[in-house]
Amino acid sequence: METLPLLHRLKGEPVLVLGEGDMADAKARLVHEAGGTVVPAMQPGVRLAFVTGDDAAGQAARLREQGVLVNVPDQPALSDFLVPAIVDRGSVTVAIGSSGQSAALSKALKERLEWLLPARLGELAAAIRAARDAVVSRLPALEQRREFWAAVLAPGGALDPLTPHDDPASTITLALAGGSPPTVSQHVVTVGKGGADALTLADLRRLAQADLVIHPADLPSAVLALVRRDAARMVGDALPAGAQGRVVVVRHQP
């Protein structure tokens, strides 16, 4: 590991952004999104700075002498910290870095994770936090709680984090009571005139996570190629009796 990944709280904190242009604007937006306050000049309380422009190296050196950690975009050798590619799911944040070796690689990995991770993943994290006291009350031993969370968050588990969940709080309550969630979840993916290129991120995610895909006989091969490789496939238009797991019914747009 060449760098140590950290999650830095910026809410209400001043962050220095020096320079003008697209690069400086992008860093300012990033600071705002993280809850920080962008300041255009050095002031008390500044601990982080983004520096762009012709004299970036000199400015970075002077700020570093004042104890400020500096990032010079696209120049990792001049930077004390690096900004990763970020997948933002509210309270859940995934950061992908390459130690400054390849921004293109980090971006490609980010794009893959964007369609793998459900948009409401942050709500799942919030539900888990809200259920903490109830879980401790029901399962007082630490090892019991570890086993419980490992089971419900496992692939195919009641709260599999790669599967969208409409009501994670109720699922946790049911699991604590010893019940089981429905064994079948069904989603419909509609393929329009644009074919595979017009599918939404949600559609792509469902195809990639399906246990069974039911599709018309003339479904384009480009769409079938998006289905999880070991998923079962069936020609038809309705859920068969006895189906289990995550089922996706693919239909043509009328």
Side-chain angles (χ1 to χ4, degrees):
M1 187 166 64
E2 296 183 9
T3 56
L4 177 64
L6 300 170
L7 298 178
H8 192 98
R9 296 186 187 278
L10 286 185
K11 187 174 182 179
E13 296 288 330
V15 178
L16 178 62
V17 178
L18 294 178
E20 298 179 348
D22 293 342
M23 197 171 292
D25 291 344
K27 299 309 179 188
R29 286 193 300 270
L30 184 65
V31 172
H32 282 305
E33 289 170 6
T37 301
V38 174
V39 296
M42 188 58 186
Q43 66 178 51
V46 169
R47 295 181 293 174
L48 299 178
F50 294 94
V51 179
T52 66
D54 295 336
D55 188 31
Q59 289 178 315
R62 289 188 288 273
L63 289 168
R64 194 172 291 113
E65 290 175 354
Q66 299 178 64
V68 177
L69 296 176
V70 181
N71 172 267
V72 181
D74 292 339
Q75 297 192 60
L78 297 178
S79 301
D80 300 306
F81 68 95
L82 306 175
V83 179
I86 298 171
V87 180
D88 181 8
R89 293 294 184 269
S91 58
V92 177
T93 304
V94 179
I96 307 103
S98 63
S99 297
Q101 303 300 310
S102 174
L105 175 59
S106 297
K107 179 176 181 293
L109 292 171
K110 165 188 162 68
E111 290 172 353
R112 298 284 184 89
L113 290 172
E114 283 282 5
W115 65 263
L116 276 175
L117 298 178
R120 297 171 63 181
L121 189 57
E123 294 179 23
L124 173 58
I128 291 173
R129 180 178 179 83
R132 190 170 298 171
D133 290 344
V135 173
V136 170
S137 177
R138 178 70 175 80
L139 304 170
L142 177 59
E143 190 58 37
Q144 288 179 306
R145 297 196 294 275
R146 285 176 175 170
E147 291 179 0
F148 171 78
W149 289 120
V152 297
L153 292 169
L159 290 175
D160 183 342
L162 295 187
T163 300
H165 299 283
D166 294 328
D167 190 357
S170 295
T171 301
I172 295 172
T173 300
L174 183 62
L176 274 176
S180 300
T183 57
V184 178
S185 65
Q186 179 180 352
H187 297 281
V188 175
V189 169
T190 301
V191 180
K193 294 180 180 179
D197 291 336
L199 293 176
T200 66
L201 287 176
D203 292 335
L204 294 172
R205 187 181 300 118
R206 286 165 179 157
L207 291 172
Q209 297 168 353
D211 297 306
L212 168 64
V213 174
I214 303 169
H215 62 88
D218 59 347
L219 185 69
S221 60
V223 177
L224 279 174
L226 299 172
V227 175
R228 185 163 65 94
R229 187 164 297 170
D230 56 347
R233 307 174 189 204
M234 178 183 300
V235 175
D237 59 6
L239 189 70
Q244 292 187 339
R246 293 165 289 194
V247 180
V248 174
V249 179
V250 182
R251 295 174 179 162
H252 285 305
Q253 188 174 39

PDB file of all heavy atoms in Angstrom, residues 166-199:
ATOM      1  N   ASP A 166     -35.995  -1.804  -0.531  1.00  0.00           N
ATOM      2  CA  ASP A 166     -36.971  -0.735  -0.350  1.00  0.00           C
ATOM      3  C   ASP A 166     -37.195  -0.397   1.120  1.00  0.00           C
ATOM      4  O   ASP A 166     -37.472   0.752   1.466  1.00  0.00           O
ATOM      5  CB  ASP A 166     -38.306  -1.132  -0.989  1.00  0.00           C
ATOM      6  CG  ASP A 166     -38.209  -1.239  -2.501  1.00  0.00           C
ATOM      7  OD1 ASP A 166     -37.410  -0.481  -3.093  1.00  0.00           O
ATOM      8  OD2 ASP A 166     -38.906  -2.081  -3.090  1.00  0.00           O
ATOM      9  N   ASP A 167     -37.096  -1.397   2.011  1.00  0.00           N
ATOM     10  CA  ASP A 167     -37.378  -1.169   3.425  1.00  0.00           C
ATOM     11  C   ASP A 167     -36.401  -1.973   4.285  1.00  0.00           C
ATOM     12  O   ASP A 167     -36.778  -2.972   4.902  1.00  0.00           O
ATOM     13  CB  ASP A 167     -38.823  -1.575   3.734  1.00  0.00           C
ATOM     14  CG  ASP A 167     -39.269  -1.138   5.117  1.00  0.00           C
ATOM     15  OD1 ASP A 167     -38.443  -0.561   5.859  1.00  0.00           O
ATOM     16  OD2 ASP A 167     -40.438  -1.390   5.473  1.00  0.00           O
ATOM     17  N   PRO A 168     -35.137  -1.555   4.333  1.00  0.00           N
ATOM     18  CA  PRO A 168     -34.144  -2.326   5.089  1.00  0.00           C
ATOM     19  C   PRO A 168     -34.450  -2.414   6.573  1.00  0.00           C
ATOM     20  O   PRO A 168     -34.132  -3.412   7.220  1.00  0.00           O
ATOM     21  CB  PRO A 168     -32.834  -1.584   4.820  1.00  0.00           C
ATOM     22  CG  PRO A 168     -33.244  -0.207   4.399  1.00  0.00           C
ATOM     23  CD  PRO A 168     -34.544  -0.382   3.686  1.00  0.00           C
ATOM     24  N   ALA A 169     -35.093  -1.390   7.150  1.00  0.00           N
ATOM     25  CA  ALA A 169     -35.406  -1.417   8.578  1.00  0.00           C
ATOM     26  C   ALA A 169     -36.340  -2.583   8.910  1.00  0.00           C
ATOM     27  O   ALA A 169     -36.130  -3.304   9.893  1.00  0.00           O
ATOM     28  CB  ALA A 169     -36.032  -0.093   8.999  1.00  0.00           C
ATOM     29  N   SER A 170     -37.370  -2.767   8.080  1.00  0.00           N
ATOM     30  CA  SER A 170     -38.298  -3.878   8.317  1.00  0.00           C
ATOM     31  C   SER A 170     -37.617  -5.225   8.131  1.00  0.00           C
ATOM     32  O   SER A 170     -37.906  -6.191   8.838  1.00  0.00           O
ATOM     33  CB  SER A 170     -39.498  -3.768   7.370  1.00  0.00           C
ATOM     34  OG  SER A 170     -40.253  -2.613   7.656  1.00  0.00           O
ATOM     35  N   THR A 171     -36.688  -5.288   7.177  1.00  0.00           N
ATOM     36  CA  THR A 171     -35.962  -6.531   6.943  1.00  0.00           C
ATOM     37  C   THR A 171     -35.106  -6.896   8.146  1.00  0.00           C
ATOM     38  O   THR A 171     -35.021  -8.064   8.541  1.00  0.00           O
ATOM     39  CB  THR A 171     -35.088  -6.409   5.690  1.00  0.00           C
ATOM     40  OG1 THR A 171     -35.919  -6.113   4.562  1.00  0.00           O
ATOM     41  CG2 THR A 171     -34.332  -7.697   5.408  1.00  0.00           C
ATOM     42  N   ILE A 172     -34.475  -5.898   8.756  1.00  0.00           N
ATOM     43  CA  ILE A 172     -33.675  -6.151   9.958  1.00  0.00           C
ATOM     44  C   ILE A 172     -34.560  -6.648  11.094  1.00  0.00           C
ATOM     45  O   ILE A 172     -34.227  -7.607  11.797  1.00  0.00           O
ATOM     46  CB  ILE A 172     -32.916  -4.875  10.375  1.00  0.00           C
ATOM     47  CG1 ILE A 172     -31.889  -4.493   9.309  1.00  0.00           C
ATOM     48  CG2 ILE A 172     -32.220  -5.075  11.727  1.00  0.00           C
ATOM     49  CD1 ILE A 172     -31.232  -3.145   9.544  1.00  0.00           C
ATOM     50  N   THR A 173     -35.710  -6.000  11.270  1.00  0.00           N
ATOM     51  CA  THR A 173     -36.636  -6.407  12.327  1.00  0.00           C
ATOM     52  C   THR A 173     -37.091  -7.850  12.130  1.00  0.00           C
ATOM     53  O   THR A 173     -37.133  -8.646  13.077  1.00  0.00           O
ATOM     54  CB  THR A 173     -37.859  -5.480  12.350  1.00  0.00           C
ATOM     55  OG1 THR A 173     -37.429  -4.138  12.598  1.00  0.00           O
ATOM     56  CG2 THR A 173     -38.844  -5.897  13.432  1.00  0.00           C
ATOM     57  N   LEU A 174     -37.406  -8.194  10.893  1.00  0.00           N
ATOM     58  CA  LEU A 174     -37.846  -9.551  10.579  1.00  0.00           C
ATOM     59  C   LEU A 174     -36.731 -10.558  10.827  1.00  0.00           C
ATOM     60  O   LEU A 174     -36.956 -11.638  11.400  1.00  0.00           O
ATOM     61  CB  LEU A 174     -38.301  -9.615   9.124  1.00  0.00           C
ATOM     62  CG  LEU A 174     -38.874 -10.948   8.627  1.00  0.00           C
ATOM     63  CD1 LEU A 174     -40.115 -11.321   9.400  1.00  0.00           C
ATOM     64  CD2 LEU A 174     -39.182 -10.869   7.136  1.00  0.00           C
ATOM     65  N   ALA A 175     -35.516 -10.224  10.420  1.00  0.00           N
ATOM     66  CA  ALA A 175     -34.387 -11.135  10.617  1.00  0.00           C
ATOM     67  C   ALA A 175     -34.094 -11.342  12.104  1.00  0.00           C
ATOM     68  O   ALA A 175     -33.781 -12.452  12.540  1.00  0.00           O
ATOM     69  CB  ALA A 175     -33.158 -10.599   9.899  1.00  0.00           C
ATOM     70  N   LEU A 176     -34.214 -10.278  12.907  1.00  0.00           N
ATOM     71  CA  LEU A 176     -33.985 -10.398  14.346  1.00  0.00           C
ATOM     72  C   LEU A 176     -35.019 -11.306  14.996  1.00  0.00           C
ATOM     73  O   LEU A 176     -34.732 -12.006  15.970  1.00  0.00           O
ATOM     74  CB  LEU A 176     -34.042  -9.018  15.000  1.00  0.00           C
ATOM     75  CG  LEU A 176     -32.755  -8.200  15.025  1.00  0.00           C
ATOM     76  CD1 LEU A 176     -33.033  -6.832  15.626  1.00  0.00           C
ATOM     77  CD2 LEU A 176     -31.668  -8.914  15.794  1.00  0.00           C
ATOM     78  N   ALA A 177     -36.226 -11.269  14.458  1.00  0.00           N
ATOM     79  CA  ALA A 177     -37.305 -12.094  15.009  1.00  0.00           C
ATOM     80  C   ALA A 177     -37.215 -13.545  14.560  1.00  0.00           C
ATOM     81  O   ALA A 177     -38.033 -14.371  14.951  1.00  0.00           O
ATOM     82  CB  ALA A 177     -38.653 -11.507  14.618  1.00  0.00           C
ATOM     83  N   GLY A 178     -36.237 -13.823  13.710  1.00  0.00           N
ATOM     84  CA  GLY A 178     -36.068 -15.193  13.244  1.00  0.00           C
ATOM     85  C   GLY A 178     -36.831 -15.514  11.992  1.00  0.00           C
ATOM     86  O   GLY A 178     -36.884 -16.666  11.552  1.00  0.00           O
ATOM     87  N   GLY A 179     -37.428 -14.481  11.377  1.00  0.00           N
ATOM     88  CA  GLY A 179     -38.177 -14.711  10.147  1.00  0.00           C
ATOM     89  C   GLY A 179     -37.275 -14.614   8.933  1.00  0.00           C
ATOM     90  O   GLY A 179     -36.086 -14.331   9.028  1.00  0.00           O
ATOM     91  N   SER A 180     -37.875 -14.873   7.800  1.00  0.00           N
ATOM     92  CA  SER A 180     -37.128 -14.813   6.547  1.00  0.00           C
ATOM     93  C   SER A 180     -37.838 -13.895   5.582  1.00  0.00           C
ATOM     94  O   SER A 180     -39.069 -13.898   5.503  1.00  0.00           O
ATOM     95  CB  SER A 180     -37.009 -16.208   5.906  1.00  0.00           C
ATOM     96  OG  SER A 180     -36.346 -17.090   6.782  1.00  0.00           O
ATOM     97  N   PRO A 181     -37.111 -13.101   4.834  1.00  0.00           N
ATOM     98  CA  PRO A 181     -37.725 -12.261   3.815  1.00  0.00           C
ATOM     99  C   PRO A 181     -38.231 -13.125   2.665  1.00  0.00           C
ATOM    100  O   PRO A 181     -37.896 -14.305   2.580  1.00  0.00           O
ATOM    101  CB  PRO A 181     -36.568 -11.366   3.351  1.00  0.00           C
ATOM    102  CG  PRO A 181     -35.354 -12.190   3.612  1.00  0.00           C
ATOM    103  CD  PRO A 181     -35.649 -12.994   4.839  1.00  0.00           C
ATOM    104  N   PRO A 182     -39.039 -12.570   1.784  1.00  0.00           N
ATOM    105  CA  PRO A 182     -39.525 -13.345   0.641  1.00  0.00           C
ATOM    106  C   PRO A 182     -38.358 -13.962  -0.127  1.00  0.00           C
ATOM    107  O   PRO A 182     -37.306 -13.348  -0.276  1.00  0.00           O
ATOM    108  CB  PRO A 182     -40.258 -12.289  -0.203  1.00  0.00           C
ATOM    109  CG  PRO A 182     -40.654 -11.233   0.769  1.00  0.00           C
ATOM    110  CD  PRO A 182     -39.559 -11.200   1.793  1.00  0.00           C
ATOM    111  N   THR A 183     -38.551 -15.198  -0.569  1.00  0.00           N
ATOM    112  CA  THR A 183     -37.468 -15.905  -1.252  1.00  0.00           C
ATOM    113  C   THR A 183     -37.341 -15.490  -2.705  1.00  0.00           C
ATOM    114  O   THR A 183     -36.402 -15.878  -3.373  1.00  0.00           O
ATOM    115  CB  THR A 183     -37.702 -17.426  -1.182  1.00  0.00           C
ATOM    116  OG1 THR A 183     -38.990 -17.731  -1.748  1.00  0.00           O
ATOM    117  CG2 THR A 183     -37.658 -17.904   0.256  1.00  0.00           C
ATOM    118  N   VAL A 184     -38.318 -14.746  -3.209  1.00  0.00           N
ATOM    119  CA  VAL A 184     -38.274 -14.322  -4.604  1.00  0.00           C
ATOM    120  C   VAL A 184     -38.406 -12.809  -4.678  1.00  0.00           C
ATOM    121  O   VAL A 184     -39.269 -12.218  -4.043  1.00  0.00           O
ATOM    122  CB  VAL A 184     -39.407 -14.970  -5.432  1.00  0.00           C
ATOM    123  CG1 VAL A 184     -39.363 -14.462  -6.873  1.00  0.00           C
ATOM    124  CG2 VAL A 184     -39.291 -16.477  -5.407  1.00  0.00           C
ATOM    125  N   SER A 185     -37.532 -12.165  -5.434  1.00  0.00           N
ATOM    126  CA  SER A 185     -37.701 -10.754  -5.759  1.00  0.00           C
ATOM    127  C   SER A 185     -37.751 -10.657  -7.276  1.00  0.00           C
ATOM    128  O   SER A 185     -36.935 -11.272  -7.964  1.00  0.00           O
ATOM    129  CB  SER A 185     -36.538  -9.920  -5.202  1.00  0.00           C
ATOM    130  OG  SER A 185     -35.321 -10.273  -5.824  1.00  0.00           O
ATOM    131  N   GLN A 186     -38.730  -9.936  -7.776  1.00  0.00           N
ATOM    132  CA  GLN A 186     -38.920  -9.860  -9.224  1.00  0.00           C
ATOM    133  C   GLN A 186     -38.832  -8.422  -9.695  1.00  0.00           C
ATOM    134  O   GLN A 186     -39.410  -7.519  -9.087  1.00  0.00           O
ATOM    135  CB  GLN A 186     -40.274 -10.445  -9.615  1.00  0.00           C
ATOM    136  CG  GLN A 186     -40.537 -10.382 -11.117  1.00  0.00           C
ATOM    137  CD  GLN A 186     -41.895 -10.970 -11.499  1.00  0.00           C
ATOM    138  OE1 GLN A 186     -42.575 -11.545 -10.670  1.00  0.00           O
ATOM    139  NE2 GLN A 186     -42.276 -10.799 -12.746  1.00  0.00           N
ATOM    140  N   HIS A 187     -38.092  -8.212 -10.774  1.00  0.00           N
ATOM    141  CA  HIS A 187     -37.976  -6.890 -11.389  1.00  0.00           C
ATOM    142  C   HIS A 187     -38.170  -7.033 -12.897  1.00  0.00           C
ATOM    143  O   HIS A 187     -37.860  -8.075 -13.477  1.00  0.00           O
ATOM    144  CB  HIS A 187     -36.613  -6.263 -11.103  1.00  0.00           C
ATOM    145  CG  HIS A 187     -36.360  -6.011  -9.651  1.00  0.00           C
ATOM    146  ND1 HIS A 187     -36.891  -4.938  -8.979  1.00  0.00           N
ATOM    147  CD2 HIS A 187     -35.636  -6.710  -8.731  1.00  0.00           C
ATOM    148  CE1 HIS A 187     -36.508  -4.976  -7.716  1.00  0.00           C
ATOM    149  NE2 HIS A 187     -35.744  -6.047  -7.541  1.00  0.00           N
ATOM    150  N   VAL A 188     -38.672  -5.983 -13.499  1.00  0.00           N
ATOM    151  CA  VAL A 188     -38.883  -5.965 -14.939  1.00  0.00           C
ATOM    152  C   VAL A 188     -37.913  -4.980 -15.568  1.00  0.00           C
ATOM    153  O   VAL A 188     -37.775  -3.843 -15.105  1.00  0.00           O
ATOM    154  CB  VAL A 188     -40.338  -5.564 -15.296  1.00  0.00           C
ATOM    155  CG1 VAL A 188     -40.490  -5.432 -16.811  1.00  0.00           C
ATOM    156  CG2 VAL A 188     -41.321  -6.589 -14.751  1.00  0.00           C
ATOM    157  N   VAL A 189     -37.218  -5.423 -16.593  1.00  0.00           N
ATOM    158  CA  VAL A 189     -36.322  -4.567 -17.371  1.00  0.00           C
ATOM    159  C   VAL A 189     -36.904  -4.444 -18.768  1.00  0.00           C
ATOM    160  O   VAL A 189     -37.152  -5.459 -19.429  1.00  0.00           O
ATOM    161  CB  VAL A 189     -34.899  -5.159 -17.437  1.00  0.00           C
ATOM    162  CG1 VAL A 189     -34.058  -4.402 -18.468  1.00  0.00           C
ATOM    163  CG2 VAL A 189     -34.237  -5.100 -16.074  1.00  0.00           C
ATOM    164  N   THR A 190     -37.149  -3.219 -19.195  1.00  0.00           N
ATOM    165  CA  THR A 190     -37.743  -2.983 -20.503  1.00  0.00           C
ATOM    166  C   THR A 190     -36.670  -2.513 -21.484  1.00  0.00           C
ATOM    167  O   THR A 190     -35.939  -1.559 -21.206  1.00  0.00           O
ATOM    168  CB  THR A 190     -38.860  -1.922 -20.417  1.00  0.00           C
ATOM    169  OG1 THR A 190     -39.859  -2.376 -19.496  1.00  0.00           O
ATOM    170  CG2 THR A 190     -39.503  -1.707 -21.777  1.00  0.00           C
ATOM    171  N   VAL A 191     -36.578  -3.210 -22.597  1.00  0.00           N
ATOM    172  CA  VAL A 191     -35.587  -2.873 -23.621  1.00  0.00           C
ATOM    173  C   VAL A 191     -36.280  -2.109 -24.740  1.00  0.00           C
ATOM    174  O   VAL A 191     -37.188  -2.623 -25.394  1.00  0.00           O
ATOM    175  CB  VAL A 191     -34.928  -4.150 -24.183  1.00  0.00           C
ATOM    176  CG1 VAL A 191     -33.902  -3.779 -25.256  1.00  0.00           C
ATOM    177  CG2 VAL A 191     -34.272  -4.944 -23.065  1.00  0.00           C
ATOM    178  N   GLY A 192     -35.858  -0.873 -24.956  1.00  0.00           N
ATOM    179  CA  GLY A 192     -36.467  -0.045 -25.988  1.00  0.00           C
ATOM    180  C   GLY A 192     -35.698  -0.085 -27.293  1.00  0.00           C
ATOM    181  O   GLY A 192     -34.851  -0.961 -27.524  1.00  0.00           O
ATOM    182  N   LYS A 193     -35.955   0.902 -28.138  1.00  0.00           N
ATOM    183  CA  LYS A 193     -35.323   0.944 -29.456  1.00  0.00           C
ATOM    184  C   LYS A 193     -33.805   1.105 -29.359  1.00  0.00           C
ATOM    185  O   LYS A 193     -33.077   0.699 -30.260  1.00  0.00           O
ATOM    186  CB  LYS A 193     -35.928   2.090 -30.277  1.00  0.00           C
ATOM    187  CG  LYS A 193     -37.401   1.886 -30.627  1.00  0.00           C
ATOM    188  CD  LYS A 193     -37.939   3.048 -31.442  1.00  0.00           C
ATOM    189  CE  LYS A 193     -39.411   2.836 -31.793  1.00  0.00           C
ATOM    190  NZ  LYS A 193     -39.957   3.979 -32.579  1.00  0.00           N
ATOM    191  N   GLY A 194     -33.341   1.702 -28.286  1.00  0.00           N
ATOM    192  CA  GLY A 194     -31.897   1.907 -28.143  1.00  0.00           C
ATOM    193  C   GLY A 194     -31.146   0.659 -27.736  1.00  0.00           C
ATOM    194  O   GLY A 194     -29.912   0.656 -27.701  1.00  0.00           O
ATOM    195  N   GLY A 195     -31.878  -0.407 -27.429  1.00  0.00           N
ATOM    196  CA  GLY A 195     -31.228  -1.661 -27.064  1.00  0.00           C
ATOM    197  C   GLY A 195     -30.401  -1.552 -25.796  1.00  0.00           C
ATOM    198  O   GLY A 195     -30.752  -0.821 -24.862  1.00  0.00           O
ATOM    199  N   ALA A 196     -29.288  -2.266 -25.754  1.00  0.00           N
ATOM    200  CA  ALA A 196     -28.441  -2.311 -24.560  1.00  0.00           C
ATOM    201  C   ALA A 196     -27.911  -0.941 -24.187  1.00  0.00           C
ATOM    202  O   ALA A 196     -27.740  -0.630 -23.001  1.00  0.00           O
ATOM    203  CB  ALA A 196     -27.287  -3.292 -24.789  1.00  0.00           C
ATOM    204  N   ASP A 197     -27.649  -0.084 -25.178  1.00  0.00           N
ATOM    205  CA  ASP A 197     -27.067   1.227 -24.896  1.00  0.00           C
ATOM    206  C   ASP A 197     -28.025   2.153 -24.156  1.00  0.00           C
ATOM    207  O   ASP A 197     -27.585   3.134 -23.542  1.00  0.00           O
ATOM    208  CB  ASP A 197     -26.619   1.908 -26.197  1.00  0.00           C
ATOM    209  CG  ASP A 197     -25.431   1.204 -26.836  1.00  0.00           C
ATOM    210  OD1 ASP A 197     -24.699   0.524 -26.093  1.00  0.00           O
ATOM    211  OD2 ASP A 197     -25.242   1.327 -28.062  1.00  0.00           O
ATOM    212  N   ALA A 198     -29.324   1.860 -24.220  1.00  0.00           N
ATOM    213  CA  ALA A 198     -30.317   2.742 -23.601  1.00  0.00           C
ATOM    214  C   ALA A 198     -30.764   2.268 -22.224  1.00  0.00           C
ATOM    215  O   ALA A 198     -31.609   2.908 -21.597  1.00  0.00           O
ATOM    216  CB  ALA A 198     -31.534   2.871 -24.520  1.00  0.00           C
ATOM    217  N   LEU A 199     -30.207   1.172 -21.727  1.00  0.00           N
ATOM    218  CA  LEU A 199     -30.595   0.665 -20.414  1.00  0.00           C
ATOM    219  C   LEU A 199     -30.099   1.600 -19.316  1.00  0.00           C
ATOM    220  O   LEU A 199     -29.039   2.216 -19.429  1.00  0.00           O
ATOM    221  CB  LEU A 199     -30.033  -0.733 -20.193  1.00  0.00           C
ATOM    222  CG  LEU A 199     -30.603  -1.834 -21.090  1.00  0.00           C
ATOM    223  CD1 LEU A 199     -29.871  -3.155 -20.835  1.00  0.00           C
ATOM    224  CD2 LEU A 199     -32.097  -2.015 -20.853  1.00  0.00           C
TER     225      LEU A 199
END
